[in-house]
Amino acid sequence: MAGIYIHIPFCKQACHYCDFHFSTNLKKKALLLNALQKELRLRISELGNERVETIYFGGGTPSILSLDEINQILNSVYANFEVIENPEITLEANPDDLTEKWISTLSKSLVNRLSIGVQSFFDEDLTLMNRAHNSQEAENSILYVKEYFENISIDLIYGIQGADDARWKANIDKALDFGLPHISSYALTVEPKTALAKYVQKGLISNVDDEQAQRQFLMLVELLENEGYVNYEISNFGKPDFFSRNNTAYWQGKSYLGIGPSAHSFNGSKRGWNVRNNTKYIQELENDNIPIEYEQLSTLDAYNEYVMTGLRTIWGVSLKKVGTVYGANYRKYLEIQAQKYIDEHLLFLDDDKLLATKKGKFLVDGIAADLFMVKLDK
């Protein structure tokens, strides 16, 4: 089984924290959508005999598209690839796009899962982040979506400057009041070359407080787990039967095609990434060229990726798999490197699986980096 990710690189306005590829100029939207469909046709053979089980519209802001435009892309996927009978088809959406009429129309399409970029239910936070919606639109959009969709996720951001623990708890409580089956939550990060980074450098906004972010993450885990959510990946919380199949496939190393400018692809042994420029992307595809670069993963690269992704999930890192797939020296190295984190109660062993403790989850990216193999000494 495989997935297809479709990057829609357009937004109404730029969020201050975002470093994803997007444009607020929609003049080339029609040309780009034609290019997306052309790329799907040109890459028809890349999944081999694998069937498509997930289709994910990310961005950017996919909800900026009309139903006709969404259907055009989905029709191209179905025309060029074998799709399973009941695929998960997710569309990321911003609350300001989710009018009742638009949602009603969308419900008649093949899209069966919505991921809503709420980020916060407080206007102060939304203004700081330069989101296009306000808190009332966030609440209304969820109420509208619940009338037509069952499989719904929202995004929330913690560690926001000026948002104390009481406000963060109120955000979580508000999300829980809606009875949603899935919540994704991420720490605010100051990415280079973003507006937020410039404001921090100029002293207009304070930098992110790591202690606050860690404290709020632990609050999040405790409150959601108490309500029956499973923290199946560091940033993802789902009720049973509502884990994101797209996210799960990614963290478990399944193949996926990335379609659109800046989109990434993976086939188990090779990674690819498309050009991060709308004009170049369109021009290359008009000339029947796929604007992609590839990197063949070495055994060392594959081991490091498995450690990084595995530790973020409830499935952990299998010591047996490390020994069998990557070699006995890799397993020995991992066991030695992991021991200090086990002693510090940041990692633990459950039979064959190496997993992060609750305390270790927030630090897991740094821990994983320390478990990476830089070179294999023979």
Side-chain angles (χ1 to χ4, degrees):
M1 297 289 188
I4 293 180
Y5 170 83
I6 299 163
H7 189 78
I8 307 299
F10 298 110
C11 290
K12 290 179 181 177
Q13 65 187 52
C15 298
H16 287 163
Y17 59 87
C18 182
D19 71 339
F20 293 140
H21 172 66
F22 68 93
S23 172
T24 55
N25 186 338
L26 305 184
K27 290 181 180 179
K28 295 183 179 180
K29 187 175 73 164
L31 289 174
L32 194 132
L33 295 180
N34 287 336
L36 290 177
Q37 294 170 72
K38 180 76 165 288
E39 185 183 2
L40 284 165
R41 293 195 298 273
L42 291 177
R43 300 182 70 182
I44 190 171
S45 64
E46 289 193 31
L47 292 180
N49 295 322
E50 290 190 84
R51 295 190 297 163
V52 174
E53 63 175 335
T54 64
I55 303 168
Y56 192 99
F57 288 83
T61 309
S63 56
I64 211 166
L65 301 181
S66 68
L67 179 61
D68 284 344
E69 290 167 335
I70 293 168
N71 283 337
Q72 285 175 24
I73 296 170
L74 287 174
N75 289 341
S76 292
V77 172
Y78 274 81
N80 292 286
F81 299 91
E82 184 180 356
V83 182
I84 66 170
E85 186 175 348
N86 293 303
E88 176 189 88
I89 304 179
T90 302
L91 186 129
E92 291 183 353
N94 278 357
D96 47 298
D97 294 323
L98 296 179
T99 63
E100 188 168 11
K101 180 179 179 181
W102 192 91
I103 296 164
S104 173
T105 303
L106 183 70
S107 69
K108 299 176 176 64
S109 74
L110 294 173
V111 173
N112 53 29
R113 183 175 184 270
L114 279 183
S115 177
I116 308 172
V118 170
Q119 315 311 353
S120 175
F121 290 104
F122 289 87
D123 286 330
E124 304 96 306
D125 300 336
L126 298 172
T127 299
L128 183 145
M129 293 185 283
N130 199 40
R131 296 291 292 171
H133 68 278
N134 59 43
S135 58
Q136 191 60 58
E137 287 174 318
E139 294 187 35
N140 289 344
S141 69
I142 297 172
L143 292 173
Y144 295 152
V145 169
K146 287 184 68 176
E147 291 293 317
Y148 297 93
F149 289 85
E150 180 185 18
N151 200 350
I152 307 164
S153 178
I154 65 167
D155 287 352
L156 293 175
I157 292 179
Y158 57 89
I160 299 170
Q161 297 97 322
D164 60 15
D165 293 354
R167 189 190 298 175
W168 176 235
K169 184 178 183 303
N171 258 317
I172 300 171
D173 288 343
K174 176 70 73 172
L176 291 173
D177 286 343
F178 286 109
L180 301 166
H182 191 279
I183 296 172
S184 295
S185 191
Y186 308 90
L188 181 67
T189 55
V190 181
E191 300 290 350
K193 299 181 180 179
T194 60
L196 184 60
K198 293 177 183 177
Y199 295 150
V200 170
Q201 290 166 4
K202 292 179 179 179
L204 300 175
I205 299 176
S206 62
N207 207 340
V208 171
D209 183 338
D210 289 338
E211 290 186 6
Q212 173 187 305
Q214 182 173 14
R215 190 171 61 249
Q216 293 183 354
F217 172 75
L218 293 174
M219 288 173 58
L220 174 75
V221 173
E222 181 180 1
L223 290 169
L224 292 191
E225 287 187 343
N226 286 344
E227 294 296 324
Y229 290 84
V230 179
N231 186 200
Y232 66 97
E233 188 276 327
I234 297 299
S235 302
N236 288 280
F237 300 78
K239 291 289 182 73
D241 299 324
F242 284 96
F243 294 3
S244 166
R245 287 157 61 186
N246 175 81
N247 295 350
T248 300
Y250 172 78
W251 295 112
Q252 293 184 336
K254 294 186 179 182
S255 298
Y256 58 90
L257 282 185
I259 304 297
S262 81
H264 284 230
S265 302
F266 179 65
N267 70 357
S269 62
K270 184 170 65 175
R271 288 209 171 277
W273 54 95
N274 287 356
V275 65
R276 191 182 168 105
N277 181 290
N278 290 357
T279 300
K280 290 180 180 179
Y281 175 82
I282 292 167
Q283 290 173 345
E284 287 296 312
L285 282 157
E286 285 177 342
N287 293 319
D288 293 338
N289 297 320
I290 304 171
I292 190 169
E293 293 183 47
Y294 289 105
E295 174 191 20
Q296 188 71 39
L297 297 183
S298 65
T299 300
L300 185 147
D301 294 330
Y303 159 81
N304 288 345
E305 287 212 0
Y306 175 56
V307 170
M308 179 185 70
T309 55
L311 276 185
R312 292 182 64 93
T313 72
I314 59 172
W315 301 285
V317 175
S318 165
L319 297 179
K320 181 179 179 181
K321 177 178 177 177
V322 170
T324 301
V325 176
Y326 308 110
N329 286 339
Y330 282 90
R331 174 169 178 163
K332 181 180 178 182
Y333 176 83
L334 176 60
E335 290 175 332
I336 292 171
Q337 288 293 103
Q339 189 57 53
K340 59 186 174 185
Y341 295 108
I342 294 173
D343 294 341
E344 294 172 6
H345 305 290
L346 299 174
L347 298 178
F348 70 100
L349 279 171
D350 182 9
D351 292 329
D352 166 63
K353 300 289 174 56
L354 186 66
L355 299 149
T357 64
K358 285 187 179 181
K359 180 182 176 183
K361 283 181 178 180
F362 184 77
L363 306 171
V364 79
D365 287 343
I367 294 170
D370 195 41
L371 302 182
F372 287 173
M373 181 81 75
V374 178
K375 66 176 181 177
L376 184 59
D377 296 321
K378 297 183 179 180

